[in-house]
Amino acid sequence: TQNMQHFWKCAVIYMGVFVEISGAGITKVELDEKCADPLGMGWRQSEQFLAKLDSKLKEPKQAKAFARAKPPGVSAAPLEPAVPASDVDTLPSAIAKPKKNAYAIVIGIEQYREKLPKADFADRDAKLVGEYLTKVLGYLEENVIVRLNERATRTDQVKYFEEWLRNNVDPGGSVFVYYSGHGAPNNKTGEAYLVPYDGDPAFVDSTAYPVKQLYAALEKLPAKEITVVLDSCFSGAGGRSVIAKGARPMVLSVENAVLAAGKTIVLAASAGDQISSTYEEKGHGLLTYFFLKGLQGEGDINKDGAIEMAELYEYVKPNVQRVARKQYNNEQTPQLLASPELLRRGGGRLIEPRKP
């Protein structure tokens, strides 16, 4: 395959190895004596090593053996497992009319500076959500901020949530915020926090970003409507949540007084005493997978071409619950938080209805 050929090409550059590839797989492995000896093995030892490989690489299935093989005395780095392809990775062909007064901030953090557990697929989630916004939902690329891993520090969150949006959003516009990564509880106050790349659950007050501060900043904007999707959890019980060493998990309320009569709609991955899971066979967070699957058209329950958050929620909720129970023996119930009036008005419309 093309990917395999690229891998072997890199091997040639690094090791001075010539690899012949045919339809039957790898048919020949040789040492190119014109190359340097980067491993310091000496040519005789290198030739012996490669001769052994050559005898084993006559079938395609043996490709992995070469990738895992190492010369004598050289430690081989462990191979990263391949991320599975998913049906939601293919974007719908329909493209919405450009939304000039729509702004979005998308954050995905899988790796953390403080050696916290990985939030599997979180950066991949965010990158794909950004593509849906610009290539499917009509957001202008200059109006979408995507920040992944080390580019999503606490300073970044404050800058974009509290300053960039304030400086850009005009009256009557719309805002979309997506966060995929760890959440954490404040065990002293019972409040929920987003954990940035440089966050530390032992010092949430100074290193993490309060969810209520996010809601308050969004409600101050002159936007007509605001949509927030949180593929995270905040109890500290596991999944996409972390907690300070020695602390106990908490049951947090994901409700917020700011949302009760405001213009913000929040889709949260789970209830306050639950954990949010990843959908390993799809390579995404469980909430994110069904959120994007819904945007592909599955969430248009009444088949009118429009998809609002309340309608999308009716699709997302039972599917997340079903997979969490079946595959993980776990309860995960997504939450839709907003004023009843806002939901009745069809707030949080992501896809406009088809024109007759």
Side-chain angles (χ1 to χ4, degrees):
T1 66
Q2 184 176 359
N3 288 340
M4 280 300 297
Q5 289 174 350
H6 175 72
F7 172 81
W8 294 116
K9 185 176 181 181
C10 293
V12 169
I13 294 172
Y14 179 66
M15 292 184 63
V17 177
F18 172 78
V19 180
E20 182 180 291
I21 303 175
S22 70
I26 301 164
T27 59
K28 191 174 184 180
V29 180
E30 292 181 352
L31 195 67
D32 184 353
E33 297 190 11
K34 296 180 182 179
C35 297
D37 182 15
L39 300 180
M41 295 169 54
W43 291 117
R44 178 70 59 184
Q45 190 176 9
S46 297
E47 287 176 333
Q48 293 172 353
F49 167 67
L50 292 173
K52 292 179 181 179
L53 289 179
D54 187 30
S55 65
K56 297 178 181 180
L57 298 180
K58 300 302 183 183
E59 299 178 13
K61 65 181 182 180
Q62 298 292 343
K64 291 182 180 179
F66 185 79
R68 292 191 178 95
K70 59 182 180 180
V74 177
S75 297
L79 293 177
E80 290 291 332
V83 177
S86 169
D87 48 350
V88 297
D89 295 342
T90 302
L91 276 60
S93 57
I95 300 176
K97 181 180 178 182
K99 300 177 181 178
K100 296 182 179 179
N101 196 12
Y103 296 84
I105 297 174
V106 179
I107 292 176
I109 310 171
E110 178 175 1
Q111 306 278 358
Y112 285 83
R113 190 184 72 182
E114 298 300 324
K115 298 181 180 180
L116 304 179
K118 289 174 61 178
D120 290 335
F121 311 126
D123 51 0
R124 189 167 184 258
D125 286 346
K127 184 177 180 181
L128 187 58
V129 167
E131 292 180 1
Y132 268 76
L133 289 170
T134 59
K135 299 178 181 178
V136 179
L137 302 184
Y139 284 66
L140 304 181
E141 288 192 8
E142 60 266 29
N143 291 354
V144 177
I145 299 295
V146 178
R147 288 293 178 267
L148 309 177
N149 296 317
E150 68 275 6
R151 299 184 66 199
T153 65
R154 187 180 189 279
T155 299
D156 291 315
Q157 293 186 8
V158 172
K159 176 174 67 175
Y160 289 110
F161 290 149
E162 301 183 20
E163 297 182 27
W164 185 83
L165 285 174
R166 184 185 63 208
N167 294 338
N168 284 277
V169 177
D170 296 321
S174 63
V175 172
F176 180 89
V177 171
Y178 173 87
Y179 175 83
S180 181
H182 282 313
N186 185 322
N187 285 77
K188 297 178 182 178
T189 66
E191 296 179 3
Y193 284 73
L194 305 179
V195 181
Y197 169 75
D198 54 346
D200 186 339
F203 302 93
V204 289
D205 286 326
S206 57
T207 68
Y209 190 82
V211 172
K212 72 173 185 179
Q213 187 172 331
L214 168 64
Y215 295 159
L218 295 176
E219 282 292 326
K220 293 177 183 178
L221 298 172
K224 181 180 180 180
E225 62 179 31
I226 300 162
T227 303
V228 178
V229 177
L230 300 176
D231 198 343
S232 183
C233 52
F234 304 96
S235 67
R240 286 188 173 181
S241 69
V242 289
I243 197 169
K245 185 176 181 180
R248 295 180 178 229
M250 299 181 65
V251 177
L252 287 93
S253 173
V254 294
E255 302 285 348
N256 189 283
V258 175
L259 306 176
K263 54 193 173 187
T264 302
I265 297 178
V266 176
L267 176 62
S270 59
D273 60 341
Q274 298 174 341
I275 66 173
S276 57
S277 304
T278 55
Y279 199 174
E280 291 187 9
E281 67 184 65
K282 301 295 185 179
H284 290 288
L286 187 52
L287 176 76
T288 297
Y289 172 78
F290 284 109
F291 174 73
L292 296 178
K293 189 70 174 174
L295 292 181
Q296 287 186 335
E298 298 294 327
D300 184 10
I301 296 176
N302 61 11
K303 304 305 178 184
D304 66 349
I307 299 180
E308 298 91 9
M309 285 299 291
E311 183 181 27
L312 185 60
Y313 178 66
E314 292 303 313
Y315 166 75
V316 168
K317 178 183 175 182
N319 280 288
V320 169
Q321 290 177 313
R322 173 181 55 83
V323 174
R325 288 170 183 162
K326 183 178 180 180
Q327 296 205 8
Y328 306 111
N329 192 30
N330 181 40
E331 291 295 326
Q332 181 177 342
T333 304
Q335 307 291 302
L336 188 65
L337 313 174
S339 71
E341 176 61 26
L342 181 56
L343 294 176
R344 278 195 297 268
R345 297 200 311 263
R349 177 173 287 178
L350 298 173
I351 294 181
E352 298 296 328
R354 294 185 297 265
K355 292 184 179 181

